[in-house]
Structure formats: structure tokens, C-alpha cells
Amino acid sequence: YHIPDILLGIEQECKKLGCNLIIQDTCNEQEMENVLIRKFKNENILGMIIYPTCHEFFNDEIMRLKLDNFPFVIVDQYWSQLDAHFVHSDNKKGTYEATKHLIEAGHREIGLLYDIDWNANNTRNRIEGYEQCLIDNAIPVRKDYLFDTTLNTARLPLGIENDVIESMMDFITSNNQITAYLCSSMLFLEAIKRLGIKLGEDLSAIFVDDSFLAKHYNPALTVIRQQNQEMGRRAFDILLNWGKLQEKNVVLDTELIVRESVGRLHS
């Protein structure tokens, strides 16, 4: 849901200056990413804003951009091994605050549903925030409360998507002591619907990132909102002022938007 908002932020800045924005989709394939980087590098462009493929390490073409001092910015990702410009969210802080909100609502058995293949570094930061909050509140960290769908659900054929939903259903029913979840996938909503579970009453959940669906779902979803348009704007500003800005790692705050998907647990 957040990629269109990042693009909107970039597009708004381009329009102000009369710049043309060229968009290419890598389909989350690293080889396609390499091909497109080589292609754009040979064209007369201001620079590249790269939403990288979802791998733990950057690819060779990104390193070549750095070695050639070609203007580029990485958005929604951070690699400490690469000395480059990054604009991304404080995912650790976001899940820390979300977990704290669940604890304050009386929940102590809290699960985390994530997709490590979608963005490994962001997922790792979210897990760290979740676990740190549990530790700070004297709640045991249980690795068996973490569920990895292992699939990029944004591009799944219907049959495989159904497999993910069914695996979520199995996890939820096998862990009925869990009263609340942090979720990176909206497929969770379909899973609990099939199980006849009422969100906000039988089970609570907080979702990563805001969307039109989150606002208008019944009940409205509590979310960790990211500054996606600002991410795009800041990335464009770095390209526009290439070589002038000292700050390389721009970390944007997240905001917990409290709606109706978290119920208070009464002891």
C-alpha cells in the first residue's frame, strides 16, 4: 500500500520543477533491478530513486552506482554496509509503540505475523522493536509466537494466496492463547473472517502502514502509519541537492493511529 504514496511524494516534487518522472517496475526480481539500473545509468537523468528488491544485501549494480558517484537514493530500506543515501521509516520504534499499546490494553500474549521475503531488514527491525518492548515490560519473548508467511503476498496467484490464508488460520487456531497480533499482511483479515473471529472483540490486531482499507474496514484498523509521501519528497530533495547534504541516513518517525481493532482485555 505504501509504494504508491512514495511515488506520489516524488511526483509532487517533480511537478514543482517541471521534471519528468520515469517509473519502472522490477517485479521484485534482482536481475531485473540490475538491468534497469544499467539502462538508466546510460540515459540523461538527474539520478535514481530506488525502491530495492527485497533481499538482505544490495546487488552489484547498486555498488557500481556508489563507486561511480552516480546520484541515487534508496527508499524504505537501509544497509549499514553501504555508504549511500537512505530514506526510511523507524520500524523498530513503530512496532515498539504498537506492542506497548497492546500491553497497555491488557494483552500479554502477543503474536507477530510478518513476511521476511518482502523486506528482510525492515522485518528484522520490526521484530527487534516488538521483542524489546516485551522485555521492557517483563513479558517473556516466545519465538513460537512469530509467524513468517515467507511469501510476497502482493504478487501471489489466487491459489497460493489461499495457501497463505490457510496457514495463518492454522497458526491462529493452534495458538488460541494469543489475544493480539501485529500484522504486516492484510490476509490476516480474511483468515480470521473464515474462522468466525470478530476483530476488536475476540482478537485484537495492529497493522503495519495505513491505507484506504484500514480507515474504512469494519472495525477500522489501528495501524503504524509511515510518512510515505514525505519519504518520496525527501529522496527527491537529496537528488536535487546532490553532494550538498551531509546527512545520509534519513530516518522518518512513524505514528500509531488508534482506531477500533484493539480491544481492552479485562483480567
Side-chain angles (χ1 to χ4, degrees), residues 40-66:
F40 283 132
K41 194 176 175 184
N42 294 322
E43 296 183 4
N44 184 25
I45 60 173
L46 174 67
M48 297 185 213
I49 297 174
I50 302 173
Y51 186 100
T53 54
C54 302
H55 295 273
E56 190 167 356
F57 302 103
F58 50 89
N59 65 36
D60 292 342
E61 290 301 326
I62 289 178
M63 176 55 79
R64 288 193 182 94
L65 291 176
K66 170 62 183 175

Side-chain angles (χ1 to χ4, degrees), residues 92-156:
K92 182 175 180 178
K93 177 173 175 280
T95 48
Y96 186 100
E97 292 179 345
T99 306
K100 182 180 178 183
H101 180 72
L102 292 172
I103 294 169
E104 289 173 346
H107 299 277
R108 293 183 64 84
E109 306 295 333
I110 302 169
L112 177 65
L113 302 183
Y114 64 94
D115 185 348
I116 197 70
D117 282 352
W118 181 238
N119 195 319
N121 289 331
N122 285 353
T123 296
R124 187 160 37 250
N125 290 334
R126 288 176 183 135
I127 292 172
E128 287 176 2
Y130 156 80
E131 292 184 342
Q132 188 60 56
C133 188
L134 294 179
I135 292 168
D136 290 349
N137 287 275
I139 298 174
V141 174
R142 293 188 51 170
K143 296 295 184 182
D144 57 332
Y145 279 14
L146 275 64
F147 178 75
D148 177 12
T149 66
T150 70
L151 292 167
N152 175 0
T153 54
R155 297 184 181 278
L156 289 179

Side-chain angles (χ1 to χ4, degrees), residues 10-11 14-15 17-23 44-47 236:
I10 299 169
E11 186 178 29
C14 285
K15 284 182 177 179
L17 297 175
C19 298
N20 293 320
L21 176 63
I22 305 170
I23 302 170
N44 184 25
I45 60 173
L46 174 67
F236 181 85

Side-chain angles (χ1 to χ4, degrees), residues 198-229:
K198 293 182 179 179
L199 185 62
E201 296 180 25
D202 304 327
L203 196 62
S204 294
I206 296 177
F207 295 81
V208 174
D209 216 358
D210 205 359
S211 66
F212 180 84
L213 171 63
K215 298 172 190 174
H216 297 282
Y217 194 80
N218 185 21
L221 307 180
T222 295
V223 298
I224 304 167
R225 178 183 288 168
Q226 302 180 77
Q227 299 183 64
N228 296 317
Q229 290 186 33

